[in-house]
Amino acid sequence: MSNEKPIEEVAERVAVKSDKKLRKALSFQDLFFLSMGGIIGSGWLLGVAAGASVAGPASVLSWIIGGIIVLFIALVFAEISAAIPKSGSIVRYPHLAYGGYAGYILSWAYLLSAVTVPTIEAEATLTYASTYIPNLFTSTAVPVLTGEGILAGLILMVLFFFLNYAGIRFLGKFNSGATWWKFVIPTVTFILLLFLFNKSNFTAYGGFVPEGWSMVFFAIPSAGIVFSYLGFRQALEYGGEAKNPQRDIPRATIYSVIVAMVLYTLLQFAFIGAIKWTSGGVSVGNWGGITSATALGSAPFFTELKYSGIAALVAFSYLLLIDAWISPAGTGWIYLGNSTRVMYGIAADGYFPKAMLRIHEKTRIPYIALIASLVVGIIFFLPFPSWYLFVGFISSATVLTYVIGPIALHSFRKHAPDLHRPFRLKGASIIAPIAFIGASLIVYWTGFGTLTLIFGAVFIGISLFYFYYAPLRLNFPKGISYALGLVVLIVSILTLFYSYYYVIYPNNEPLWLDMDYALVLFGLDLVAIVGTTLIAHFMANKEQRKLFTSSYWLLALIFVTYFASYWGAFGYVSFMNPSKTFFYYPTATPLIPFPYDTIMMIVVYAIIYVFGLRAGYKTEDLQAIIDEQAPPEPEAPAQV
């Protein structure tokens, strides 16, 4: 079997011409506002209610802890993005550091998260709109979109499309104006809610930590907290369109996380203090009931201000109904552009067809990727018809891909030491492992049910590796490669079918779907993924085997997290308390209780981190980047 295609035909080379066509129009302010615009979206409108529902008053700590972890992740990516500024950057870094197999898995996981954010932001817009537009949602424990609601969501998605199609210069300036509004309204909301502050909400009704300390950490991925912070990546994803990427991307990335952490923590504090239980339609002290079909769950801040009894606050509350269109919609149009750059980046890695690299001559937008992003985002209205049902999936799918940053940083320092690094992270030997372990813990804290859903979706990406990448790039025999992909696809579909009922409709699953089947699925997943990987490893030639040996740390991370979650504090025994609405609460003593499970996972992730560091190598595409940045060799003096 022959080696991979020579370096002249490597996908990164193919993408160079497309990269050069992208318009370099974004200033530091544009990049900062893109990140802030991605951060201040549905999270500020609905995340506070979800956080309070899961962790009560202690959700204030959830925002702080989640923000600190994301800040460490952002610091790591700041160095990488300054050295290698590319549009669709986060999906290109795994490929550059670990080659085609690990790169495919992480790129697919990241695409799943990126392409679905416009959908969830449209759902958030409609959630607030349901306070004055009837028939958008059903009146179930967790409201889900009706047919009319899905149609309204489709119209919003089309509007997001045309804002992006107008071009990056228009999008950057338009977004800057919208972000000023999005920043001012939450700030004023916090100040006004202080007039309603009731300190007893922090001490009564179960105290400061009414649901237990494990829920403080569970809220980070499941209640939209980490989801809200993930907008910092916009400055990275639009890096190929920045005027001065080496200088501006790190600053925009880091500043956006710091500002967001302060703003969201203050908003959660103010929301808790201003709760008037009966006015919001929730029984007194019922933290878990906040996100059910109540006024407080549909429009948290609007409800608090409207029933404040203070005329000025009531008047301001109606501005929130306007902002409920601007904030989530603003994030939605940014993320549709983000998912477009992700598809562009995946195509640049050679994982998707080259058609995704086509740039519109007038607007300089990857228009085929934009159309594909719109179509896929619309499809996701059907399986996830609610913001509260969707947010944990997106959060953890995204954070799973962020584990690449800390180890890629060291891999690039080792294998590409001469890359121009205008921002070099001090203390990387400490910050990088903290970022890796923190990102991994967020995935673990998601809970077994959602993890089953996420990993099932990620495994479909592995099947696509065998259907497309392996025959085309590795010259695997099509029959064998398709057979491996089919095995993985069947197991993935079974996992998704099972987990969908338990996560999305936890009280309506078929009677025969007992939780004990989780262990059977776990065994099938383990055999199918590891087995097909080993077969591919031995099919490959000596050079190609690096693709697979460099991925074993990632497979270990996925399956160890999967296994530990089942018996840990966020697993099977934590599944459903009938008094709650959607989120998982402890109902029995797990085999590995909190905090011992989290401590155990810190040790496990530290070990995986070490193996991940050793697995990186100088890929052909990384060498192409090095050659791209290298100054031209001086011409030899003319011979006389």
Side-chain angles (χ1 to χ4, degrees):
M1 190 180 301
S2 61
N3 289 335
E4 289 188 61
K5 295 181 180 180
I7 191 167
E8 290 78 15
E9 297 180 27
V10 173
E12 186 67 34
R13 291 292 199 190
V14 176
V16 168
K17 291 183 180 179
S18 294
D19 284 345
K20 291 180 179 178
K21 289 182 180 179
L22 295 170
R23 181 167 284 143
K24 317 297 183 184
L26 299 177
S27 64
F28 163 73
Q29 178 178 300
D30 294 330
L31 292 169
F32 175 72
F33 279 149
L34 279 168
S35 286
M36 289 305 301
I39 290 171
I40 305 176
S42 61
W44 98 265
L45 292 168
L46 299 174
V48 291
S53 179
V54 175
S59 54
V60 173
L61 297 179
S62 302
W63 285 100
I64 296 172
I65 296 169
I68 291 172
I69 293 174
V70 172
L71 180 59
F72 277 98
I73 295 171
L75 285 168
V76 168
F77 276 105
E79 175 177 317
I80 300 174
S81 62
I84 311 176
K86 296 286 185 181
S87 288
S89 59
I90 294 180
V91 296
R92 299 171 85 165
Y93 299 148
H95 180 83
L96 294 173
Y98 290 92
Y101 192 57
Y104 212 109
I105 296 171
L106 291 172
S107 296
W108 174 257
Y110 191 75
L111 177 64
L112 287 173
S113 66
V115 80
T116 50
V117 174
T119 309
I120 195 174
E121 295 298 340
E123 289 177 349
T125 302
L126 298 176
T127 300
Y128 254 72
S130 67
T131 61
Y132 53 88
I133 301 177
N135 302 322
L136 291 178
F137 287 86
T138 61
S139 298
T140 53
V142 178
V144 297
L145 285 169
T146 61
E148 295 93 329
I150 291 177
L151 178 60
L154 299 183
I155 295 173
L156 280 174
M157 293 287 287
V158 172
L159 291 175
F160 298 166
F161 171 85
F162 282 110
L163 277 170
N164 278 274
Y165 191 75
I168 189 61
R169 181 176 289 137
F170 172 80
L171 179 66
K173 301 308 176 187
F174 186 86
N175 178 72
S176 294
T179 302
W180 274 114
W181 166 279
K182 292 168 66 175
F183 184 77
V184 170
I185 295 298
T187 303
V188 175
T189 300
F190 160 72
I191 294 171
L192 294 180
L193 287 178
L194 293 180
F195 290 97
L196 308 176
F197 190 79
N198 180 5
K199 66 178 181 181
S200 66
N201 284 339
F202 286 87
T203 56
Y205 320 121
F208 184 68
V209 193
E211 308 295 348
W213 282 102
S214 63
M215 293 298 100
V216 175
F217 298 93
F218 179 64
I220 295 172
S222 66
I225 291 174
V226 76
F227 167 77
S228 301
Y229 286 128
L230 296 181
F232 82 86
R233 62 189 176 180
Q234 305 309 319
L236 307 177
E237 297 294 1
Y238 287 85
E241 291 145 281
K243 292 179 181 177
N244 192 337
Q246 284 85 0
R247 182 194 66 188
D248 293 339
I249 292 175
R251 292 194 300 155
T253 301
I254 294 168
Y255 292 166
S256 65
V257 175
I258 294 173
V259 171
M261 185 163 53
V262 174
L263 179 62
Y264 274 122
T265 301
L266 293 176
L267 283 168
Q268 184 73 63
F269 175 80
F271 173 79
I272 296 289
I275 289 176
K276 289 186 176 181
W277 296 95
T278 53
S279 298
V282 185
S283 58
V284 177
N286 181 16
W287 295 106
I290 289 177
T291 54
S292 60
T294 66
L296 200 59
S298 297
F301 290 120
F302 170 75
T303 300
E304 290 186 331
L305 293 170
K306 180 180 178 181
Y307 295 104
S308 64
I310 302 174
L313 273 61
V314 174
F316 180 81
S317 70
Y318 289 95
L319 274 179
L320 294 183
L321 296 182
I322 299 174
D323 181 73
W325 288 90
I326 295 175
S327 286
T331 302
W333 72 59
I334 291 172
Y335 268 98
L336 188 63
N338 171 277
S339 61
T340 298
R341 273 81 184 164
V342 171
M343 285 199 176
Y344 176 92
I346 294 176
D349 290 335
Y351 301 152
F352 280 1
K354 295 184 178 112
M356 296 291 181
L357 295 173
R358 291 179 184 171
I359 305 296
H360 193 278
E361 291 298 329
K362 182 177 180 181
T363 62
R364 304 291 180 87
I365 293 294
Y367 66 99
I368 300 295
L370 177 61
I371 294 170
S373 297
L374 173 67
V375 172
V376 175
I378 287 173
I379 291 172
F380 270 89
F381 274 115
L382 300 179
F384 293 101
S386 168
W387 190 93
Y388 293 110
L389 299 178
F390 208 167
V391 69
F393 174 88
I394 293 177
S395 299
S396 296
T398 306
V399 175
L400 173 64
T401 65
Y402 286 169
V403 300
I404 191 64
I407 50 180
L409 180 146
H410 287 291
S411 180
F412 293 151
R413 284 187 177 185
K414 178 180 178 181
H415 299 294
D418 296 328
L419 282 179
H420 177 52
R421 289 176 172 82
F423 174 80
R424 188 175 181 88
L425 181 62
K426 296 181 180 179
S429 59
I430 298 174
I431 293 174
I434 292 175
F436 180 89
I437 293 170
S440 302
L441 285 174
I442 289 176
V443 177
Y444 171 73
W445 292 332
T446 301
F448 179 79
T450 305
L451 283 181
T452 305
L453 189 66
I454 293 167
F455 291 150
V458 169
F459 294 156
I460 286 181
I462 298 179
S463 69
L464 295 179
F465 171 87
Y466 292 115
F467 290 145
Y468 180 79
Y469 188 86
L472 182 66
R473 292 290 309 281
L474 305 183
N475 294 326
F476 277 20
K478 289 185 177 180
I480 298 176
S481 190
Y482 291 168
L484 295 177
L486 185 62
V487 169
V488 175
L489 181 63
I490 291 172
V491 172
S492 304
I493 291 173
L494 288 174
T495 302
L496 282 172
F497 175 75
Y498 163 84
S499 58
Y500 183 77
Y501 276 100
Y502 266 99
V503 176
I504 307 302
Y505 302 109
N507 293 321
N508 297 308
E509 72 277 1
L511 294 177
W512 58 270
L513 269 178
D514 187 85
M515 267 298 299
D516 290 338
Y517 282 92
L519 288 181
V520 176
L521 281 173
F522 173 80
L524 286 174
D525 289 337
L526 184 65
V527 171
I529 304 302
V530 175
T532 54
T533 302
L534 289 174
I535 291 172
H537 178 112
F538 288 111
M539 285 176 58
N541 60 40
K542 182 178 179 181
E543 189 64 26
Q544 292 172 347
R545 287 178 182 176
K546 292 180 182 178
L547 301 181
F548 301 100
T549 56
S550 66
S551 70
Y552 292 140
W553 66 271
L554 177 59
L555 296 181
L557 186 146
I558 290 173
F559 281 105
V560 168
T561 302
Y562 201 2
F563 183 81
S565 179
Y566 183 84
W567 280 286
F570 306 90
Y572 168 36
V573 298
S574 305
F575 243 58
M576 196 69 189
N577 185 326
S579 68
K580 307 299 180 183
T581 56
F582 168 69
F583 298 109
Y584 306 140
Y585 287 76
T587 59
T589 302
L591 182 65
I592 313 173
F594 183 85
Y596 302 107
D597 63 328
T598 296
I599 295 172
M600 177 189 73
M601 295 310 293
I602 290 173
V603 175
V604 170
Y605 290 140
I607 295 172
I608 294 175
Y609 174 77
V610 173
F611 281 95
L613 288 179
R614 296 179 178 179
Y617 67 101
K618 182 184 287 187
T619 62
E620 290 185 338
D621 289 327
L622 179 58
Q623 183 61 56
I625 295 290
I626 296 170
D627 295 341
E628 183 183 327
Q629 291 193 10
E633 295 183 4
E635 295 183 6
Q639 299 293 326
V640 178

